[in-house]
Amino acid sequence: MDNEFLLQDRLQKIRQIVNKYGEENFYISFSGGKDSTVLSALVDMALPCNTIPRVYANTGIELNMIRDFVFDMAKEDNRIEIIKPSVPIKQMLEVEGYPFKSKAHSCFVKKYQSKGLDYKSVRAYIKLEPTLSGKPISTPCPKKLMYQFSNENNLKISDMCCYRMKEEPLDNWANVHKKIYGITGVMQDEGGRRTNSSCLSFKSNGQLNFFQPLVPITKKWEDWFIDECNIKICDIYNPPYNFERTGCKGCPFALHLQNELDTLEKYFPTERKQCEAIWKPVYDEYRRLGYRLKK
């Protein structure tokens, strides 16, 4: 699809949806990363002089350069709202459990640690039986992680980290400020669970839940838009750092975790040490298994 055509298509879509549901009812889930910065710029282009809040969850485990980028923006833009989760990351992990491998895997292990093999989805994931459709699960548990569905595993695992640290405080803020609809920077191009995302996400009662205007956008188009429209993004994406993803620092879900930690060691050694302190039980297990991290 032509770059300019896609740009006009997205601007039209943003105007259409926001005007339909009322600008006063929206907020932007703003992380300070490349995707949410592009999202914010597109909204401004589509709706000049809009007052839609950009809400940033300061979890304490964002990369310092991203955090400082958002704080600097907040000095010039009063639409940026900075909030915090209700519980510190270490306390949350000890209570809820640690992320391991992926959100899907962590969810299955959490179910197993809660009710054993009572869940059919868990039994399908570890290939004890087929799914409800009668077909084997497309991405079953890797052999080297099967032990986590037995008494051999002593690590409490959960997929709740993102929810407690980001989604929950955003939901609470939205409820207090009577904002009904979130605008997020979800892109199908990121893969994983987001591959099947759509621009409009609805609740079970048919009410609009999230508006995701970046869904059809590719990383290549995103880079074109940043260059073409001179969009200011955080310097962490530029040389010499060249970060490609900037979620929570040292997140165990990161596929290229070792590379990320090596880069942090080179440029931000203090943050590298922070990663080891936060995620130590997971890192220790990764290294024991030779999984994602060097032994």
Side-chain angles (χ1 to χ4, degrees), residues 181-182 197-203 206-212:
Y181 314 118
S197 299
S198 58
C199 282
L200 300 177
S201 172
F202 295 91
K203 297 179 181 179
Q207 182 186 32
L208 178 66
N209 189 19
F210 288 106
F211 176 34
Q212 302 169 153

Side-chain angles (χ1 to χ4, degrees), residues 206-272:
Q207 182 186 32
L208 178 66
N209 189 19
F210 288 106
F211 176 34
Q212 302 169 153
L214 301 192
V215 159
I217 284 175
T218 64
K219 294 294 184 183
K220 183 177 180 180
W221 185 92
E222 186 178 55
D223 289 338
W224 168 84
F225 174 72
I226 291 169
D227 290 340
E228 181 73 13
C229 299
N230 195 27
I231 305 301
K232 171 64 177 175
I233 61 173
C234 180
D235 285 337
I236 202 166
Y237 293 101
N238 301 322
Y241 316 110
N242 297 314
F243 271 71
E244 293 185 3
R245 63 165 297 278
T246 54
C248 298
K249 64 182 77 174
C251 175
F253 287 155
L255 293 177
H256 305 292
L257 178 58
Q258 185 65 62
N259 290 340
E260 180 179 333
L261 293 180
D262 289 345
T263 303
L264 287 175
E265 181 67 36
K266 183 176 181 179
Y267 297 108
F268 312 108
T270 300
E271 292 185 74
R272 171 71 164 80

Side-chain angles (χ1 to χ4, degrees), residues 138-252:
S138 58
T139 52
C141 180
K143 288 184 179 180
K144 66 168 53 182
L145 301 183
M146 290 287 285
Y147 76 97
Q148 294 183 341
F149 297 89
S150 73
N151 293 331
E152 293 180 36
N153 177 43
N154 296 316
L155 178 62
K156 190 173 184 180
I157 294 174
S158 169
D159 63 335
M160 294 298 290
C161 186
C162 291
Y163 175 75
R164 294 295 185 207
M165 303 307 293
K166 295 180 180 179
E167 296 171 27
E168 185 178 58
L170 280 168
D171 288 345
N172 291 339
W173 181 93
N175 288 333
V176 169
H177 292 83
K178 296 181 172 55
K179 300 296 180 181
I180 307 172
Y181 314 118
I183 308 178
T184 72
V186 169
M187 299 169 63
Q188 287 182 342
D189 200 40
E190 292 176 289
R193 286 183 171 184
R194 300 186 173 193
T195 303
N196 298 318
S197 299
S198 58
C199 282
L200 300 177
S201 172
F202 295 91
K203 297 179 181 179
S204 58
N205 62 3
Q207 182 186 32
L208 178 66
N209 189 19
F210 288 106
F211 176 34
Q212 302 169 153
L214 301 192
V215 159
I217 284 175
T218 64
K219 294 294 184 183
K220 183 177 180 180
W221 185 92
E222 186 178 55
D223 289 338
W224 168 84
F225 174 72
I226 291 169
D227 290 340
E228 181 73 13
C229 299
N230 195 27
I231 305 301
K232 171 64 177 175
I233 61 173
C234 180
D235 285 337
I236 202 166
Y237 293 101
N238 301 322
Y241 316 110
N242 297 314
F243 271 71
E244 293 185 3
R245 63 165 297 278
T246 54
C248 298
K249 64 182 77 174
C251 175

Side-chain angles (χ1 to χ4, degrees), residues 56-115:
Y56 171 73
N58 183 17
T59 63
I61 52 174
E62 305 297 309
L63 291 161
N64 290 0
M65 283 186 70
I66 290 287
R67 178 203 63 202
D68 294 344
F69 176 73
V70 176
F71 283 11
D72 287 342
M73 288 183 67
K75 295 174 184 176
E76 306 294 332
D77 190 341
N78 61 11
R79 298 174 302 178
I80 294 179
E81 299 275 352
I82 299 175
I83 62 176
K84 288 186 176 182
S86 60
V87 61
I89 179 64
K90 286 291 287 181
Q91 181 182 338
M92 190 284 303
L93 293 171
E94 290 168 0
V95 173
E96 298 280 359
Y98 286 80
F100 201 102
K101 183 187 181 294
S102 66
K103 285 187 179 180
H105 177 83
S106 298
C107 180
F108 287 128
V109 177
K110 179 186 175 186
K111 288 181 176 180
Y112 173 80
Q113 292 179 334
S114 172
K115 293 188 176 181

